[in-house]
């Protein structure tokens, strides 16, 4: 078995983490048990470019139980949990190509190793694997039945490829499923971004001014959580509807140019580039902290920040670099501008990834059943899968809900009854 992980000796700790996360992933466990019986992915080669975490390990185990031959590579150079990668190889016989902190050439070498596996189904978190298949491994793209995309940024890239007529196989926008983004992006990113920032800085949230760039699903979740911890929260937006929503949710809304002077902590969650630029950094207070929780490390203009700094002190604390601006203003950049929740903490809690990855697993089964019959475009997750995941999660949480009465069904289906 070929693989490339940091150190197989870390496997026992990784296994403990995988099994601990599994306790909080009852929906995925139920799907895994069914997959083990019915083998819906029998003999299928699957390559998944995802954050290599304990939760992803449980998705990989589920696909493997369904009969798939699974290979994993990382979707971010800084998010790999080396102990989990080691355990996947040693304890679960799942090849992994991922080492935390790998450089760009190694990152792409690992993606190419996953493509060498000749996948017919792929998973992506940010569309790097699909992009490689389209740009450099075109022959290998021909055998792909479908690809599942986990995050907003990936879906944006794939929709752009679709519109340009460049898409070579069907992709499923798993991120856009309600059973994914309403929970994972909002509550998962919300909580784990706070976790990452606190682990990196030991920062007291209460009473500090936190600037949240982007009031989408992730931004809302994070803004909600830091407000709950006593922060004074300022939101920046470019979308008038989201900006209004933030204002009516009780947050201060202003442009970044103005927020820059007020904030103690800045967090970008936009999926856009250069949301924080030198002109903003120039206005910031001494010891302001900047972090990103959007997919790519481009939300903060790091080359611009580097250029304007008189000195850079790397690693003043784990995951903290100090940029000195002018003679003595210190700006702290967390985790090199990469996803703070994965770089400095453990990513989303398993309980919320349970829903995202249950959606992914069911979606893989769905595409397999339709192999060769799916239109080449970006597909939404069918409602029946979203509802199935939410019902299973409610059941696991021992929450019951009401059912429509026949009378209510009839009432909702007619337009006749009024005042
Ligand atoms: N950290 C994680 O684990 C994690 C989890 C899920 C998604 N993500 C990533 O987080 C990012 C946001 O995802 P989302 O689901 O919230 O997307 P979204 O589309 O719901 O929200 C993004 C928001 O940012 C706003 N925005 C865009 N440019 C801006 C700018 N220059 N200034 C201020 N606001 C701006 C948009 O108007 C939008 O409201 C994406 O890159 C996504 O891939 C990260």
């Amino acid at each position: 078995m070929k693989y490339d992980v940091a150190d197989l000796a870390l496997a026992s700790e990784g296994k403990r983490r995988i099994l601990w996360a599994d306790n909080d992933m009852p929906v995925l466990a139920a799907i895994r048990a069914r997959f083990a019986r019915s083998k819906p992915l029998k003999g299928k080669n699957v390559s998944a470019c995802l954050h290599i975490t304990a939760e992803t390990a449980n998705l990989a185990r589920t696909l493997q139980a369904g009969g798939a031959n699974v290979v994993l590579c990382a979707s971010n150079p800084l998010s790999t949990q080396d102990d989990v990668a080691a355990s996947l190889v040693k304890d679960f016989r799942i090849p992994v190509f991922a080492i935390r902190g790998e450089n760009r050439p190694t990152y792409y070498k690992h993606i190419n190793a996953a493509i060498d596996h000749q996948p017919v189904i792929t998973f992506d978190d940010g569309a790097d694997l699909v992009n490689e298949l389209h740009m450099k491994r075109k022959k290998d793209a021909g055998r792909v039945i479908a690809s599942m995309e986990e995050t907003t940024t990936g879906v944006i890239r794939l929709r752009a490829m679709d519109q340009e007529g460049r898409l070579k196989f069907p992709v499923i926008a798993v991120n856009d499923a309600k059973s994914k983004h309403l929970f994972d992006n909002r509550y998962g990113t919300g909580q784990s971004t706070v976790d990452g920032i606190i682990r990196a800085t030991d920062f007291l949230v209460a009473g500090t001014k936190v600037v949240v760039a982007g009031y989408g699903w992730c931004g809302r979740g994070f803004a909600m959580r830091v407000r709950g911890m006593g922060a004074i929260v300022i939101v920046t937006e470019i979308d008038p509807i989201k900006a209004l929503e933030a204002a009516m949710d009780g947050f201060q809304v202003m442009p970044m140019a103005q927020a820059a002077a007020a904030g103690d902590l800045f967090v970008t969650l936009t999926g856009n580039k250069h949301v924080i630029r030198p002109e903003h950094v120039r206005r910031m207070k001494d010891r302001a902290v900047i972090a990103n929780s959007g997919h790519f490390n481009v939300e903060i203009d790091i080359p611009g920040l580097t250029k304007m700094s008189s000195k850079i002190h790397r690693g003043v604390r784990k995951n903290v670099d100090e940029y000195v601006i002018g003679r003595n203003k210190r700006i702290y950049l967390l985790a090199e501008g990469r996803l703070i929740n994965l770089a400095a903490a453990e990513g989303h809690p398993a309980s919320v990834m349970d829903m995202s990855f249950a959606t992914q697993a069911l979606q893989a089964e769905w595409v397999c059943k339709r192999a060769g019959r799916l239109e080449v475009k970006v597909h939404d997750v069918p409602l029946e899968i979203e509802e199935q995941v939410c019902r299973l999660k409610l059941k696991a949480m021992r929450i019951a809900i009401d059912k429509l009465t026949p009378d209510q069904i009839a009432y909702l289906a007619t337009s006749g009854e009024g005042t």
Side-chain angles (χ1 to χ4, degrees):
M1 181 169 94
K2 282 191 188 159
Y3 59 86
D4 191 14
V5 299
D7 183 1
L8 281 189
L10 302 171
S12 62
E13 179 57 21
K15 187 173 181 187
R16 273 198 288 273
R17 281 169 67 170
I18 293 168
L19 298 181
W20 176 257
D22 198 39
N23 291 331
D24 264 336
M25 303 182 87
V27 180
L28 196 61
I31 294 170
R32 187 157 64 239
R34 179 170 68 74
F35 274 18
R37 291 190 301 273
S38 60
K39 303 280 178 204
L41 309 175
K42 196 168 176 207
K44 298 280 185 292
N45 282 1
V46 171
S47 296
C49 179
L50 297 169
H51 299 295
I52 307 300
T53 63
E55 294 78 21
T56 300
N58 287 318
L59 171 62
R61 290 173 62 205
T62 305
L63 302 172
Q64 186 186 49
N69 309 311
V70 187
V71 161
L72 295 178
C73 63
S75 58
N76 186 297
L78 268 191
S79 62
T80 298
Q81 295 170 357
D82 287 326
D83 53 354
V84 167
S87 173
L88 275 165
V89 171
K90 193 168 172 202
D91 304 312
F92 299 100
R93 311 296 299 160
I94 295 176
V96 179
F97 296 87
I99 297 172
R100 189 185 178 86
E102 62 197 11
N103 60 20
R104 198 180 155 83
T106 309
Y107 177 75
Y108 278 98
K109 190 181 88 186
H110 285 160
I111 288 183
N112 277 283
I115 297 175
D116 291 343
H117 180 53
Q118 305 196 333
V120 294
I121 296 178
T122 70
F123 292 81
D124 243 314
D125 189 319
D128 280 347
L129 190 146
V130 165
N131 201 44
E132 196 72 0
L133 275 168
H134 279 72
M135 305 300 284
K136 299 203 184 122
R137 303 285 302 259
K138 293 181 186 164
K139 270 198 199 143
D140 295 283
R143 68 172 76 82
V144 177
I145 298 172
S147 179
M148 266 57 74
E149 175 50 55
E150 169 77 5
T151 197
T152 314
T153 284
V155 171
I156 291 171
R157 290 175 87 187
L158 292 164
R159 286 202 196 283
M161 282 166 80
D162 193 6
Q163 269 176 7
E164 291 158 9
R166 292 199 296 115
L167 208 54
K168 290 187 183 299
F169 45 76
V171 296
I172 315 289
V174 173
N175 174 74
D176 293 2
K178 290 197 187 77
S179 53
K180 198 274 179 183
H181 70 261
L182 284 184
F183 306 95
D184 171 316
N185 299 30
R186 182 165 41 172
Y187 301 114
T189 312
Q191 177 172 319
S192 60
T193 300
V194 175
D195 186 11
I197 291 165
I198 291 176
R199 289 199 208 191
T201 60
D202 201 21
F203 194 79
L204 178 71
V205 177
T208 60
K209 291 207 172 102
V210 178
V211 178
V212 181
Y215 201 64
W217 291 106
C218 296
R220 271 180 214 145
F222 176 66
M224 192 197 291
R225 291 293 170 256
V226 276
R227 174 160 70 185
M229 294 175 81
I232 300 151
V233 181
I234 299 169
V235 169
T236 71
E237 254 295 344
I238 43 103
D239 177 330
I241 302 173
K242 304 271 180 61
L244 193 57
E245 189 186 0
M248 292 211 187
D249 283 347
F251 297 108
Q252 296 179 43
V253 179
M254 60 183 78
M256 184 58 83
Q258 196 182 334
D264 300 302
L265 166 67
F266 296 80
V267 184
T268 52
L269 307 105
T270 70
N272 205 344
K273 70 181 284 199
H274 295 184
V275 176
I276 294 180
R277 301 182 289 274
E279 76 228 45
H280 303 131
V281 174
R282 234 166 257 128
R283 291 176 168 230
M284 287 180 189
K285 301 177 198 169
D286 177 36
R287 305 200 69 234
V289 176
I290 315 177
N292 168 51
S293 206
H295 188 76
F296 286 120
N297 62 339
V298 296
E299 303 217 6
I300 300 155
D301 177 3
I302 300 172
L305 176 63
T306 306
K307 213 165 152 195
M308 74 190 288
S309 302
S310 50
K311 265 191 224 139
I312 301 171
H313 299 123
R314 303 263 173 221
V316 290
R317 185 181 153 96
K318 194 173 170 204
N319 286 312
V320 185
D321 290 335
E322 182 183 85
Y323 289 74
V324 182
I325 312 294
R327 285 185 58 193
N328 51 15
K329 185 165 87 176
R330 294 155 294 174
I331 300 291
Y332 298 121
L333 176 68
L334 305 190
E336 301 167 27
R338 296 200 186 270
L339 296 159
I340 184 66
N341 60 333
L342 280 142
E346 293 171 68
H348 295 8
S351 179
V352 83
M353 292 315 293
D354 188 26
M355 300 185 65
S356 306
F357 285 165
T359 309
Q360 290 277 22
L362 292 177
Q363 195 57 58
E365 179 184 34
W366 189 89
V367 299
C368 246
K369 280 188 190 151
R370 289 159 183 80
R373 288 187 284 124
L374 284 171
E375 201 185 324
V376 176
K377 64 170 194 174
V378 180
H379 294 256
D380 285 329
V381 171
L383 186 62
E384 76 246 25
I385 290 186
E386 302 201 38
E387 286 190 349
Q388 191 182 342
V389 170
C390 292
R391 281 189 196 286
L392 286 169
K393 190 69 176 176
L394 283 168
K395 193 172 160 205
M397 294 168 81
R398 300 204 176 100
I399 296 172
I401 58 169
D402 284 323
K403 278 200 177 78
L404 286 170
T405 64
D407 192 33
Q408 286 170 337
I409 293 171
Y411 174 75
L412 293 173
T414 56
S415 55
E417 278 188 58
T419 326

